[in-house]
Amino acid sequence: MPSVDPCRVLITGASGAIGAALAQAYAEPGRTLVLQGRNLDALEQVATSCRRAGSEVIVEGVDLLDRASALAFIERHLADMTPDLVVLNAGMNVHAAPGEAIEAAGEAEALLTLNMMMTQRLFDRVARAMLARGNGQIALVSSLAADMGLPPTPAYSASKAAVKAYGEAMRGALAPQGVRVSVIMPGYVRSPMCDAMPGPKPFLVSPEQAARRIRHGLSRNRGRIAFPFWLSLGTRWLGLMPVDWALTLLRRLGYRAP
């Protein structure tokens, strides 16, 4: 598959670790970056770095949990010029409070809304615009947690499993019409969100390492960009095991509810 070099790239969650590193990985002269995030100060810092690298940068301090604002944001950029590549990276994680086995209902609902429902809604609108044009590329950020639900983070695991299944299905549906879809499945990437997660964090990678692997995989139109290799192999193996065996192994490895 020949390399694909997008001229206009839209990244959601660009104020977070992976999104910021990915924006900087794509920052080059002649490329326009549309960067969305909730933390406007952090987003402006990313934008400044990308401008220094030669890119034109448009900053969008939009909260994607505000449905009307989220849809208005995506419509603005589809009306202006449909991006060549859209990376739906925005997401959050929650876990149960110490001594509790179940996450707070409101927190879990907000997570599922952002990670799954708004990802699907933005994908739907972007995909229709790309279909009308006859080409484009969309990447959905899932997680290796999609392979096997982790007891410390059940809602997060569920949301990323949904994103994985949806993205893989849409890859098959849209490929014949010129729209490329990839699912990104990182393991543990150094970030405040990762630091806050309970449990061990094997094979931890830096945001810059993650961004390089993602850009490399997208340039080759890979359907599933999963890393690091050994952790990806392990989670896939867990997903194939009888569930009680897998859960027993996870407990022994230190993955248990707080």
Side-chain angles (χ1 to χ4, degrees):
M1 171 63 68
S3 295
V4 177
D5 197 28
C7 292
R8 190 177 185 89
V9 179
L10 185 151
I11 302 171
T12 67
S15 57
I18 293 178
L22 197 56
Q24 290 162 344
Y26 275 105
E28 296 173 1
R31 177 171 290 134
T32 299
L33 302 175
V34 180
L35 306 180
Q36 176 276 333
R38 288 184 294 175
N39 185 334
L40 192 54
D41 289 340
L43 200 59
E44 289 289 0
Q45 290 179 15
V46 176
T48 297
S49 175
C50 293
R51 290 184 182 116
R52 286 175 181 158
S55 283
E56 178 185 349
V57 182
I58 301 168
V59 170
E60 288 277 6
V62 176
D63 183 354
L64 297 186
L65 281 172
D66 181 334
R67 179 184 174 88
S69 296
L71 295 180
F73 147 68
I74 205 67
E75 291 296 341
R76 276 196 299 276
H77 293 287
L78 295 178
D80 179 24
M81 181 186 297
T82 300
D84 303 298
L85 168 64
V86 172
V87 182
L88 298 175
N89 165 71
M92 62 185 290
N93 196 1
V94 301
H95 55 83
E100 298 289 335
I102 303 175
E103 301 150 323
E107 291 182 350
E109 182 179 1
L111 181 152
L112 292 167
T113 299
L114 177 61
N115 292 12
M116 183 173 65
M117 299 306 298
M118 285 312 302
T119 294
Q120 185 279 330
R121 188 67 187 89
L122 295 179
F123 181 100
D124 179 274
R125 189 63 195 91
V126 169
R128 292 179 189 277
M130 289 183 176
L131 285 171
R133 187 178 61 187
N135 65 76
Q137 184 173 27
I138 310 173
L140 299 95
V141 177
S142 177
S143 166
L144 291 182
D147 285 333
M148 174 69 200
L150 299 177
T153 53
Y156 179 81
S157 300
S159 71
K160 294 305 185 179
V163 168
K164 174 180 179 289
Y166 183 78
E168 291 175 348
M170 293 309 298
R171 178 178 175 85
L174 301 184
Q177 301 177 68
V179 177
R180 305 176 303 281
V181 180
S182 296
V183 176
I184 301 165
M185 299 179 65
Y188 294 102
V189 178
R190 190 178 298 113
S191 66
M193 187 174 82
C194 179
D195 293 343
M197 292 175 66
K201 300 170 181 68
F203 302 102
L204 185 71
V205 301
S206 70
E208 293 74 22
Q209 289 173 311
R212 286 194 296 270
R213 295 183 188 189
I214 292 168
R215 182 172 178 181
H216 178 79
L218 291 177
S219 72
R220 285 153 179 78
N221 188 28
R222 291 181 180 165
R224 186 184 295 166
I225 304 168
F227 61 89
F229 173 78
W230 290 110
L231 188 58
S232 172
L233 187 64
T235 59
R236 203 170 304 174
W237 178 61
L238 280 171
L240 294 173
M241 293 174 66
V243 66
D244 288 334
W245 294 10
L247 290 171
T248 297
L249 179 57
L250 285 170
R251 281 194 295 271
R252 290 178 178 175
L253 292 172
Y255 295 93
R256 53 177 62 89

